[in-house]
Amino acid sequence: RGHSGRALGRYPGEGGQGRGHALAKYPQRFDAREAEKVCDFLQSRLELETTELMSVAVRHPMLLGRTVDAIAQKLDFLQSRLNLDGAELKRIVLKQPSALSYSIDNNLAPTIDWLKANFSLTEAELKTLVLRFPNVLGYSIDDNLAPTLSWLTSRLLLTNAQLKTLILGLPPVLGLSVDANLSPTIDFFEHELNIRGSDLRELILTMPARLAYSLSKRYRPRLAACRAVGDNLRLVLTTAGYTDERFCERRGLTLEEYERLKPCSPIAGTRPETSHARIDQSR
């Protein structure tokens, strides 16, 4: 593995584009030599393969306009605050490279502190949450996190302990849209499956991922399948974690029959990666 930012200009990317597209996209903002220093630093500090470096650069090209010192400060802060080893720090950057553009004082530190205090998390739980869903570092507390959690608490009548169980069981729930995902999904459980109250709350808490499955790709086709074979509609939720193959096998359907029950297009439900992030304007 070479440690050269010049690899940006010669690595072939998707659709025949070179990874130098990351530099070409914002030529007025980047000094090529400084961008190469950033690439060399990231590759060395995080032990990135060339393909991994290119992925970071293409997903968040503005990072190439930062200084090495500014990026190093973010890496040092995240590693120290979350007690990350090198591999864990690399994992966060690969999942959410834009985190290295967020302000420490205005975004990273307040968000991490809020998560820990709001859920009474141990340091280990906090670390696990961020590792599983580093996108949370870019969400606004006032605009995203607090309203979503307030809605979940009210809608499902959760105690603080139950809310913590839900969040730790499914950290990406913090990124689900109330209007596009959470509300329609819970409405479906109640009105289509007739599962409500404490029964619904218990089913969600025992498997929080049930909130994240697609209505159009999973729940509605399985509802149609259960109706077609005369099964208890509750199975739509209790078998949500099954693969399509296993679900069809248990229902006596072929995959072809099941596929015909699916609508053509899925619904959208998650927020953009960097919505409401407070980008650090310093270089």
Side-chain angles (χ1 to χ4, degrees), residues 102-163:
Y102 301 159
S103 165
I104 293 175
D105 294 335
N106 295 326
N107 186 264
L108 294 175
T111 299
I112 290 171
D113 291 344
W114 185 87
L115 289 169
K116 180 171 171 39
N118 198 66
F119 299 117
S120 300
L121 299 176
T122 65
E123 291 295 331
E125 290 170 336
L126 175 65
K127 173 179 176 177
T128 298
L129 188 155
V130 175
L131 280 171
R132 290 185 60 190
F133 191 60
N135 304 54
V136 71
L137 297 173
Y139 291 144
S140 163
I141 294 171
D142 294 334
D143 295 335
N144 296 147
L145 298 176
T148 297
L149 297 176
S150 177
W151 186 90
L152 282 168
T153 300
S154 175
R155 188 70 174 77
L156 295 173
L157 299 178
L158 300 173
T159 65
N160 289 339
Q162 289 170 332
L163 182 62

Side-chain angles (χ1 to χ4, degrees), residues 96 133 135-136 139 144 148 170-185 209 211-215 266-276:
Q96 187 72 359
F133 191 60
N135 304 54
V136 71
Y139 291 144
N144 296 147
T148 297
L170 183 67
V173 76
L174 295 167
L176 295 178
S177 164
V178 169
D179 292 335
N181 185 278
L182 293 171
S183 184
T185 298
L211 283 176
Y213 293 123
S214 168
L215 277 175
I267 62 170
T270 57
R271 302 184 182 106
E273 275 192 1
T274 58
S275 65
H276 301 284

